[in-house]
């Protein structure tokens, strides 16, 4: 137990960096993922095809491979980063965006076609159909899975610790090496800080899911 | 194809989207060409670098890496599935003294990065890295399997359980003989999709020094020289993605087949259907 209290500054530093990585990658992934989802449902065949290929490939790529590529392979081919955080953010947001694209797309598709047809038939414009009828319904179904994806993102950011970024997992490894006699407590401390983020988010996802559930 | 967002396009809209397609292809193609040219400038496509694949030992190392990856995934899946079943039964037990602690443990396991569990097992129990990888995968995935099967049981019509109890089955018998078989069948696509996650997560073994595919790449690059890193990495990543894509396709195929055959279709529950780590 003492080992956690003694190293609280490191834990706190790692915690903040984990939050930072998750937040920045989360925002980038949300934007990129939404654009990809929009491309996937657009009438333009080339965009649909590109989005599909990207999502399929990235979803089936292990995150460690994405990290290895960003942190080890890219510098080898001349693309170097001042800080490894940048590589971590690239890997995390590229990876997460594919999952977000899938969630958003299935949310839009979950709205019955009749809803939009009814809206059009009473004379709504495209912008009205989208903002008043389709999006509000799509968002309700999309938000719980999106929160789950963000939870996974927080946990995924731990891989950055193995690629030279000192976030929670990175510090955990360092502290475990330095305190061979108290490894259990060191890692329990790390787990605690992860749970501090992921468990409340999990309850939020459950709550939102129950709150917005639509009887269809 | 009909979409929520727009009507079936007429001739004018089709022309516009054709033009859009052409512009899209030019822009995306241009970006790809740019990326390839950047790589070419670094001499990536120098045939000498790719000649490394003429060495049989390179393929032996890659094959060993794939073998280690598949071995960890197979052992973990074989242990995690029955364990997940048992945990699921505990999680939906009528007895709160069983149900509540199980739920706490499940929330704990689901909220933690898999790689942290692997490191924990490796350091605390001083096991081999294979055991650490398998243990981490089993802990996490049995929790996810349990949640998927629970979602399947809860998606069944209430009458299934009521009928079982009405003909005199005990609660446990009803779960085992009536509800579980239906739930597993309904959830087969989700369970197979989770197998893809499990397979992907074996690559976390790299971090705890397990000799899987990525580690094999690293070892080769250290041995042959860094200029060979890109070709070897490229081939290894392609193999990885090909294996995962094949299993994903299986899940999609099961889903299509299931929705035609299973009564009431298959249910699809997004139980953190995203890789863990």
């Amino acid at each position: 137990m003492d080992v956690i209290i003694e190293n609280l500054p490191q834990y706190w530093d790692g915690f903040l960096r984990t939050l930072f990585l998750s937040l920045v990658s989360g925002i980038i992934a949300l934007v990129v993922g939404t654009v990809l989802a929009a491309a996937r449902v657009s009438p333009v065949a080339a965009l649909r095809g590109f989005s599909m290929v990207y999502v399929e490939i990235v979803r089936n790529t292990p995150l460690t491979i994405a990290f290895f590529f960003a942190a080890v392979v890219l510098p080898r081919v001349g693309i170097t980063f001042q800080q490894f955080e940048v590589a971590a953010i690239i890997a995390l947001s590229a990876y997460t965006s594919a999952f977000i694209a899938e969630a958003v797309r299935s949310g839009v598709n979950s709205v019955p076609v009749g809803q939009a047809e009814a809206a059009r038939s009473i004379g709504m414009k495209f912008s009205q159909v989208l903002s008043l009828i389709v999006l509000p319904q799509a968002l309700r179904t999309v938000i719980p899975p999106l929160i789950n994806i963000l939870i996974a993102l927080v946990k995924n950011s731990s891989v950055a610790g193995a690629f030279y970024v000192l976030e929670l997992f990175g510090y955990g490894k360092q502290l475990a090496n330095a305190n061979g006699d108290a490894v259990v407590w060191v890692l329990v401390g790390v787990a605690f800080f992860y749970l501090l983020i992921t468990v409340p988010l999990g309850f939020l996802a459950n709550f939102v899911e129950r709150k917005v559930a639509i009887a269809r | 194809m009909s979409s929520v967002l727009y009507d079936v396009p007429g001739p004018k809209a089709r022309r516009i989207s054709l033009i859009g397609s052409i512009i899209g292809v030019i822009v995306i193609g241009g970006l790809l060409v740019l990326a390839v040219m950047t790589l070419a400038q670094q001499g990536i496509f120098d045939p000498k670098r790719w000649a490394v694949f003429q060495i049989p030992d390179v393929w032996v190392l890659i094959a060993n890496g794939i073998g280690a990856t598949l071995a960890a995934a197979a052992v973990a899946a074989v242990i995690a599935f029955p364990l997940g079943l048992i945990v699921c039964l505990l999680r939906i037990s009528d007895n709160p003294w069983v149900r509540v602690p199980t739920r706490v443990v499940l929330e704990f396991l689901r909220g933690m990065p898999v790689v942290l569990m692997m490191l924990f097992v490796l350091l605390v129990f001083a096991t081999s890295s294979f055991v650490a990888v398998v243990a981490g995968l089993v802990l996490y995935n049995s929790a996810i399997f349990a949640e998927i099967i629970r979602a399947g049981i809860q998606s069944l019509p209430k009458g299934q359980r009521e009928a079982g109890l009405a003909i005199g089955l005990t609660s446990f018998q009803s779960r085992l003989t009536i509800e579980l078989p239906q739930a597993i069948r309904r959830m087969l696509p989700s369970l197979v999709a989770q197998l893809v996650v499990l397979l992907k997560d074996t690559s976390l073994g790299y971090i705890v020094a397990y000799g899987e595919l990525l580690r094999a790449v690293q070892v080769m690059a250290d041995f042959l020289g860094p200029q060979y890193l890109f070709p070897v990495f490229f081939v290894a990543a392609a193999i990885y993605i090909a294996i995962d894509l094949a299993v994903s396709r299986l899940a999609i195929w099961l889903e299509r087949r299931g929705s035609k055959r299973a009564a009431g279709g298959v249910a699809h529950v997004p139980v953190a259907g995203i890789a863990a780590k």
Side-chain angles (χ1 to χ4, degrees):
Chain A
M1 201 71 194
D2 295 341
V3 72
I4 299 178
I5 297 161
E6 276 163 25
N7 296 299
L8 215 52
Q10 273 102 316
Y11 276 112
W12 185 244
D13 196 34
F15 179 71
L16 291 182
R17 192 143 307 157
T18 289
L19 273 183
F20 171 76
L21 282 181
S22 311
L23 210 66
V24 175
S25 320
I27 291 169
I28 298 175
L30 274 173
V31 173
V32 177
T34 310
V35 171
L36 282 169
R40 188 79 186 267
V41 297
S42 82
V44 181
L47 294 181
R48 274 207 307 271
F50 171 76
S51 171
M52 198 187 85
V53 170
Y54 177 87
V55 169
E56 274 299 293
I57 289 185
V58 173
R59 280 208 318 159
N60 287 293
T61 306
L63 181 65
T64 324
I65 290 224
F67 263 97
F68 195 82
F69 182 75
V72 180
V73 179
L74 279 186
R76 274 282 170 248
V77 299
I79 302 164
T80 48
F81 305 107
Q82 294 292 312
Q83 286 159 321
F84 281 108
E85 270 91 344
V86 181
I89 288 170
I90 290 175
L92 281 172
S93 46
Y95 183 79
T96 310
S97 64
F99 291 88
I100 288 182
E102 273 299 277
V104 172
R105 179 179 74 101
S106 65
V108 170
N109 281 345
S110 75
V111 179
V113 182
Q115 296 284 323
E117 284 172 352
R120 276 199 294 271
S121 73
I122 59 168
M124 284 188 170
K125 292 182 296 187
F126 176 76
S127 58
Q128 286 173 315
V129 177
L130 202 63
S131 62
L132 294 175
I133 309 293
V134 175
L135 276 186
Q137 296 189 63
L139 278 178
R140 296 184 131 201
T141 42
V142 161
I143 286 175
L146 278 189
I147 298 175
N148 280 329
I149 292 172
L150 294 180
I151 294 173
L153 170 63
V154 173
K155 295 190 287 175
N156 284 338
S157 70
S158 62
V159 178
F163 291 91
Y164 323 113
V165 178
L166 272 182
E167 42 65 82
L168 265 177
F169 182 76
Y171 271 121
K173 254 174 59 167
Q174 225 178 45
L175 289 174
N177 281 335
N179 301 280
D181 49 335
V183 173
V184 177
W185 285 111
V186 166
L187 296 181
V188 166
V190 175
F192 170 78
F193 278 102
Y194 273 111
L195 296 174
L196 210 58
I197 312 176
T198 54
V199 169
L201 276 176
F203 282 115
L204 181 68
N206 280 340
F207 173 75
V208 174
E209 197 155 6
R210 254 180 284 126
K211 191 91 180 164
V212 302
I214 322 168
R216 281 214 180 106
Chain B
M1 194 194 98
S2 86
S3 160
V4 188
L5 293 176
Y6 49 87
D7 281 311
V8 177
K12 197 175 162 196
R14 275 208 297 272
R15 207 158 47 235
I16 294 173
S17 52
L18 183 68
I19 296 169
S21 274
I22 293 168
I23 295 173
V25 166
I26 291 171
V27 171
I28 296 163
L31 287 174
L32 281 178
V33 168
L34 199 72
V36 169
M37 271 167 54
T38 315
L39 290 180
Q41 265 179 2
Q42 303 288 333
I44 290 300
F45 300 107
D46 186 350
K48 259 199 288 189
R49 290 200 181 184
W50 294 83
V52 68
F53 291 111
Q54 286 168 357
I55 308 170
D57 284 352
V58 166
W59 289 105
V60 171
L61 276 173
I62 289 179
N64 285 344
I66 297 171
T69 290
L70 293 180
V75 173
V78 166
I79 302 174
F81 184 70
L83 198 62
L85 263 181
I86 295 168
V87 174
C88 171
L89 287 174
L90 298 176
R91 170 74 177 84
I92 55 176
S93 156
D94 296 328
N95 184 346
W97 290 100
V98 177
R99 193 174 61 225
V100 175
T102 313
R103 172 148 193 222
V104 172
V105 172
L106 281 184
E107 291 291 343
F108 178 79
L109 290 178
R110 287 173 56 199
M112 245 186 359
V114 177
V115 64
L116 189 62
M117 301 186 210
M118 290 181 182
L119 189 71
F120 189 88
V121 174
L122 184 76
L123 294 181
V124 174
F125 299 103
T127 59
S128 69
S129 54
F130 175 77
V131 174
V133 169
V134 169
L137 290 174
V138 164
L139 283 173
Y140 181 74
N141 286 286
S142 52
I144 301 295
F145 281 144
E147 290 292 287
I148 293 176
I149 298 167
R150 183 171 71 94
I153 286 179
Q154 282 173 350
S155 77
L156 291 176
K158 240 170 55 188
Q160 295 292 326
R161 180 171 175 76
E162 287 168 352
L165 297 177
I167 58 169
L169 296 181
T170 62
S171 167
F172 183 67
Q173 282 174 324
S174 157
R175 297 275 194 224
L176 214 57
T177 57
I178 297 183
E179 294 164 59
L180 267 186
Q182 297 187 68
I184 291 172
R185 175 133 198 215
R186 282 189 146 208
M187 285 299 162
L188 206 53
S190 297
L191 291 170
V192 177
Q194 184 59 30
L195 275 186
V196 179
V197 177
L198 191 154
L199 199 57
K200 286 181 2 173
D201 283 358
T202 54
S203 72
L204 294 171
Y206 171 78
I207 297 168
V208 291
Y210 177 57
E212 47 75 67
L213 194 48
L214 204 52
R215 180 61 61 180
V217 167
Q218 172 95 71
V219 168
M220 263 185 274
D222 287 347
F223 181 71
L224 296 168
Q227 68 270 33
Y228 295 110
L229 182 66
F230 188 85
V232 180
F233 172 81
F234 186 81
V235 169
I239 294 171
Y240 232 129
I241 294 166
I243 296 172
D244 291 338
L245 268 173
V247 184
S248 296
R249 287 284 126 194
L250 178 67
I252 294 169
W253 178 75
L254 278 172
E255 193 163 8
R256 295 236 172 91
R257 179 174 169 274
S259 56
K260 275 188 215 134
R261 283 219 194 152
V266 292
H268 203 79
V269 181
V271 186
I274 172 170
K277 324 32 175 214

